[in-house]
PDB file of all heavy atoms in Angstrom:
ATOM      1  N   ILE A 132       0.838  -3.434  -6.251  1.00 97.00           N
ATOM      2  CA  ILE A 132      -0.528  -3.615  -6.598  1.00 97.00           C
ATOM      3  C   ILE A 132      -0.657  -4.639  -7.732  1.00 97.00           C
ATOM      4  O   ILE A 132      -1.496  -5.513  -7.689  1.00 97.00           O
ATOM      5  CB  ILE A 132      -1.204  -2.289  -7.014  1.00 97.00           C
ATOM      6  CG1 ILE A 132      -1.237  -1.305  -5.813  1.00 97.00           C
ATOM      7  CG2 ILE A 132      -2.563  -2.483  -7.593  1.00 97.00           C
ATOM      8  CD1 ILE A 132      -1.702   0.065  -6.130  1.00 97.00           C
ATOM      9  N   LEU A 133       0.231  -4.541  -8.694  1.00 97.00           N
ATOM     10  CA  LEU A 133       0.251  -5.483  -9.824  1.00 97.00           C
ATOM     11  C   LEU A 133       0.461  -6.931  -9.303  1.00 97.00           C
ATOM     12  O   LEU A 133      -0.239  -7.861  -9.669  1.00 97.00           O
ATOM     13  CB  LEU A 133       1.308  -5.142 -10.845  1.00 97.00           C
ATOM     14  CG  LEU A 133       1.425  -6.114 -12.032  1.00 97.00           C
ATOM     15  CD1 LEU A 133       0.122  -6.201 -12.808  1.00 97.00           C
ATOM     16  CD2 LEU A 133       2.590  -5.696 -12.939  1.00 97.00           C
ATOM     17  N   GLU A 134       1.408  -7.076  -8.416  1.00 96.00           N
ATOM     18  CA  GLU A 134       1.758  -8.389  -7.850  1.00 96.00           C
ATOM     19  C   GLU A 134       0.557  -8.983  -7.153  1.00 96.00           C
ATOM     20  O   GLU A 134       0.259 -10.183  -7.320  1.00 96.00           O
ATOM     21  CB  GLU A 134       2.954  -8.253  -6.913  1.00 96.00           C
ATOM     22  CG  GLU A 134       3.387  -9.559  -6.319  1.00 96.00           C
ATOM     23  CD  GLU A 134       4.548  -9.374  -5.362  1.00 96.00           C
ATOM     24  OE1 GLU A 134       4.318  -8.864  -4.255  1.00 96.00           O
ATOM     25  OE2 GLU A 134       5.700  -9.737  -5.723  1.00 96.00           O
ATOM     26  N   ASN A 135      -0.152  -8.186  -6.384  1.00 96.00           N
ATOM     27  CA  ASN A 135      -1.314  -8.667  -5.648  1.00 96.00           C
ATOM     28  C   ASN A 135      -2.484  -8.970  -6.574  1.00 96.00           C
ATOM     29  O   ASN A 135      -3.241  -9.946  -6.350  1.00 96.00           O
ATOM     30  CB  ASN A 135      -1.681  -7.666  -4.547  1.00 96.00           C
ATOM     31  CG  ASN A 135      -0.846  -7.840  -3.281  1.00 96.00           C
ATOM     32  OD1 ASN A 135      -1.133  -8.651  -2.445  1.00 96.00           O
ATOM     33  ND2 ASN A 135       0.203  -7.010  -3.215  1.00 96.00           N
ATOM     34  N   LEU A 136      -2.685  -8.156  -7.587  1.00 96.00           N
ATOM     35  CA  LEU A 136      -3.767  -8.445  -8.505  1.00 96.00           C
ATOM     36  C   LEU A 136      -3.509  -9.738  -9.253  1.00 96.00           C
ATOM     37  O   LEU A 136      -4.414 -10.543  -9.482  1.00 96.00           O
ATOM     38  CB  LEU A 136      -3.902  -7.288  -9.540  1.00 96.00           C
ATOM     39  CG  LEU A 136      -4.497  -6.028  -8.984  1.00 96.00           C
ATOM     40  CD1 LEU A 136      -4.448  -4.870 -10.069  1.00 96.00           C
ATOM     41  CD2 LEU A 136      -5.942  -6.193  -8.581  1.00 96.00           C
ATOM     42  N   MET A 137      -2.289  -9.940  -9.633  1.00 97.00           N
ATOM     43  CA  MET A 137      -1.907 -11.228 -10.352  1.00 97.00           C
ATOM     44  C   MET A 137      -1.963 -12.413  -9.428  1.00 97.00           C
ATOM     45  O   MET A 137      -2.356 -13.488  -9.843  1.00 97.00           O
ATOM     46  CB  MET A 137      -0.571 -11.026 -11.022  1.00 97.00           C
ATOM     47  CG  MET A 137      -0.528 -10.005 -12.112  1.00 97.00           C
ATOM     48  SD  MET A 137       1.114  -9.722 -12.771  1.00 97.00           S
ATOM     49  CE  MET A 137       1.421 -11.206 -13.680  1.00 97.00           C
ATOM     50  N   CYS A 138      -1.519 -12.195  -8.180  1.00 96.00           N
ATOM     51  CA  CYS A 138      -1.534 -13.274  -7.172  1.00 96.00           C
ATOM     52  C   CYS A 138      -2.979 -13.732  -6.889  1.00 96.00           C
ATOM     53  O   CYS A 138      -3.283 -14.997  -6.844  1.00 96.00           O
ATOM     54  CB  CYS A 138      -0.847 -12.844  -5.913  1.00 96.00           C
ATOM     55  SG  CYS A 138      -0.856 -14.079  -4.597  1.00 96.00           S
ATOM     56  N   HIS A 139      -3.857 -12.776  -6.693  1.00 94.00           N
ATOM     57  CA  HIS A 139      -5.277 -13.103  -6.361  1.00 94.00           C
ATOM     58  C   HIS A 139      -6.124 -12.935  -7.605  1.00 94.00           C
ATOM     59  O   HIS A 139      -7.256 -12.459  -7.486  1.00 94.00           O
ATOM     60  CB  HIS A 139      -5.763 -12.166  -5.239  1.00 94.00           C
ATOM     61  CG  HIS A 139      -4.948 -12.255  -3.984  1.00 94.00           C
ATOM     62  ND1 HIS A 139      -5.050 -13.326  -3.145  1.00 94.00           N
ATOM     63  CD2 HIS A 139      -4.026 -11.441  -3.431  1.00 94.00           C
ATOM     64  CE1 HIS A 139      -4.260 -13.142  -2.092  1.00 94.00           C
ATOM     65  NE2 HIS A 139      -3.589 -12.024  -2.250  1.00 94.00           N
ATOM     66  N   ALA A 140      -5.631 -13.349  -8.749  1.00 95.00           N
ATOM     67  CA  ALA A 140      -6.275 -13.149  -9.991  1.00 95.00           C
ATOM     68  C   ALA A 140      -7.775 -13.412  -9.963  1.00 95.00           C
ATOM     69  O   ALA A 140      -8.227 -14.501  -9.710  1.00 95.00           O
ATOM     70  CB  ALA A 140      -5.599 -14.006 -11.099  1.00 95.00           C
ATOM     71  N   ASP A 141      -8.558 -12.374 -10.181  1.00 94.00           N
ATOM     72  CA  ASP A 141      -9.987 -12.427 -10.147  1.00 94.00           C
ATOM     73  C   ASP A 141     -10.521 -12.892 -11.461  1.00 94.00           C
ATOM     74  O   ASP A 141     -10.403 -12.262 -12.507  1.00 94.00           O
ATOM     75  CB  ASP A 141     -10.581 -11.026  -9.819  1.00 94.00           C
ATOM     76  CG  ASP A 141     -12.045 -11.058  -9.493  1.00 94.00           C
ATOM     77  OD1 ASP A 141     -12.741 -12.015  -9.877  1.00 94.00           O
ATOM     78  OD2 ASP A 141     -12.528 -10.101  -8.862  1.00 94.00           O
ATOM     79  N   VAL A 142     -11.103 -14.097 -11.469  1.00 95.00           N
ATOM     80  CA  VAL A 142     -11.650 -14.702 -12.715  1.00 95.00           C
ATOM     81  C   VAL A 142     -13.142 -14.614 -12.828  1.00 95.00           C
ATOM     82  O   VAL A 142     -13.761 -15.250 -13.645  1.00 95.00           O
ATOM     83  CB  VAL A 142     -11.215 -16.191 -12.836  1.00 95.00           C
ATOM     84  CG1 VAL A 142      -9.700 -16.297 -12.978  1.00 95.00           C
ATOM     85  CG2 VAL A 142     -11.670 -17.005 -11.635  1.00 95.00           C
ATOM     86  N   ASP A 143     -13.738 -13.652 -12.044  1.00 94.00           N
ATOM     87  CA  ASP A 143     -15.154 -13.358 -12.249  1.00 94.00           C
ATOM     88  C   ASP A 143     -15.410 -12.830 -13.651  1.00 94.00           C
ATOM     89  O   ASP A 143     -14.518 -12.238 -14.228  1.00 94.00           O
ATOM     90  CB  ASP A 143     -15.652 -12.378 -11.207  1.00 94.00           C
ATOM     91  CG  ASP A 143     -15.802 -12.988  -9.812  1.00 94.00           C
ATOM     92  OD1 ASP A 143     -15.936 -14.257  -9.755  1.00 94.00           O
ATOM     93  OD2 ASP A 143     -15.775 -12.217  -8.839  1.00 94.00           O
ATOM     94  N   ILE A 144     -16.566 -13.073 -14.148  1.00 95.00           N
ATOM     95  CA  ILE A 144     -16.888 -12.673 -15.560  1.00 95.00           C
ATOM     96  C   ILE A 144     -17.604 -11.334 -15.613  1.00 95.00           C
ATOM     97  O   ILE A 144     -18.571 -11.132 -14.891  1.00 95.00           O
ATOM     98  CB  ILE A 144     -17.721 -13.769 -16.264  1.00 95.00           C
ATOM     99  CG1 ILE A 144     -17.030 -15.147 -16.139  1.00 95.00           C
ATOM    100  CG2 ILE A 144     -17.974 -13.360 -17.706  1.00 95.00           C
ATOM    101  CD1 ILE A 144     -15.688 -15.180 -16.796  1.00 95.00           C
ATOM    102  N   VAL A 145     -17.078 -10.435 -16.442  1.00 96.00           N
ATOM    103  CA  VAL A 145     -17.751  -9.183 -16.741  1.00 96.00           C
ATOM    104  C   VAL A 145     -18.628  -9.356 -17.998  1.00 96.00           C
ATOM    105  O   VAL A 145     -18.093  -9.723 -19.069  1.00 96.00           O
ATOM    106  CB  VAL A 145     -16.744  -8.013 -17.000  1.00 96.00           C
ATOM    107  CG1 VAL A 145     -17.450  -6.719 -17.392  1.00 96.00           C
ATOM    108  CG2 VAL A 145     -15.907  -7.820 -15.732  1.00 96.00           C
ATOM    109  N   THR A 146     -19.936  -9.168 -17.894  1.00 96.00           N
ATOM    110  CA  THR A 146     -20.807  -9.292 -19.040  1.00 96.00           C
ATOM    111  C   THR A 146     -21.016  -7.887 -19.680  1.00 96.00           C
ATOM    112  O   THR A 146     -20.473  -6.861 -19.235  1.00 96.00           O
ATOM    113  CB  THR A 146     -22.141  -9.854 -18.624  1.00 96.00           C
ATOM    114  OG1 THR A 146     -22.718  -9.052 -17.562  1.00 96.00           O
ATOM    115  CG2 THR A 146     -22.009 -11.265 -18.129  1.00 96.00           C
ATOM    116  N   PHE A 147     -21.831  -7.799 -20.706  1.00 96.00           N
ATOM    117  CA  PHE A 147     -22.025  -6.560 -21.456  1.00 96.00           C
ATOM    118  C   PHE A 147     -23.537  -6.256 -21.565  1.00 96.00           C
ATOM    119  O   PHE A 147     -24.375  -7.194 -21.602  1.00 96.00           O
ATOM    120  CB  PHE A 147     -21.405  -6.607 -22.836  1.00 96.00           C
ATOM    121  CG  PHE A 147     -19.907  -6.601 -22.788  1.00 96.00           C
ATOM    122  CD1 PHE A 147     -19.178  -7.798 -22.544  1.00 96.00           C
ATOM    123  CD2 PHE A 147     -19.174  -5.445 -22.961  1.00 96.00           C
ATOM    124  CE1 PHE A 147     -17.808  -7.800 -22.514  1.00 96.00           C
ATOM    125  CE2 PHE A 147     -17.808  -5.447 -22.924  1.00 96.00           C
ATOM    126  CZ  PHE A 147     -17.110  -6.612 -22.679  1.00 96.00           C
ATOM    127  N   ASN A 148     -23.876  -4.988 -21.605  1.00 96.00           N
ATOM    128  CA  ASN A 148     -25.250  -4.521 -21.777  1.00 96.00           C
ATOM    129  C   ASN A 148     -25.277  -3.513 -22.856  1.00 96.00           C
ATOM    130  O   ASN A 148     -24.316  -2.894 -23.223  1.00 96.00           O
ATOM    131  CB  ASN A 148     -25.784  -3.887 -20.478  1.00 96.00           C
ATOM    132  CG  ASN A 148     -25.576  -4.728 -19.226  1.00 96.00           C
ATOM    133  OD1 ASN A 148     -25.009  -4.242 -18.273  1.00 96.00           O
ATOM    134  ND2 ASN A 148     -26.072  -5.939 -19.262  1.00 96.00           N
ATOM    135  N   TRP A 149     -26.519  -3.231 -23.372  1.00 96.00           N
ATOM    136  CA  TRP A 149     -26.768  -2.077 -24.166  1.00 96.00           C
ATOM    137  C   TRP A 149     -27.115  -0.926 -23.172  1.00 96.00           C
ATOM    138  O   TRP A 149     -27.939  -1.156 -22.303  1.00 96.00           O
ATOM    139  CB  TRP A 149     -27.884  -2.269 -25.182  1.00 96.00           C
ATOM    140  CG  TRP A 149     -27.542  -3.254 -26.286  1.00 96.00           C
ATOM    141  CD1 TRP A 149     -28.107  -4.468 -26.412  1.00 96.00           C
ATOM    142  CD2 TRP A 149     -26.614  -3.048 -27.280  1.00 96.00           C
ATOM    143  NE1 TRP A 149     -27.571  -5.080 -27.529  1.00 96.00           N
ATOM    144  CE2 TRP A 149     -26.577  -4.291 -28.078  1.00 96.00           C
ATOM    145  CE3 TRP A 149     -25.695  -2.104 -27.620  1.00 96.00           C
ATOM    146  CZ2 TRP A 149     -25.764  -4.461 -29.177  1.00 96.00           C
ATOM    147  CZ3 TRP A 149     -24.895  -2.261 -28.732  1.00 96.00           C
ATOM    148  CH2 TRP A 149     -24.910  -3.446 -29.485  1.00 96.00           C
TER     149      TRP A 149
END
Side-chain angles (χ1 to χ4, degrees):
I132 294 173
L133 176 61
E134 182 180 73
N135 278 277
L136 287 173
M137 294 174 71
C138 177
H139 301 285
D141 190 339
V142 294
D143 286 338
I144 305 300
V145 175
T146 56
F147 291 81
N148 310 125
W149 293 112

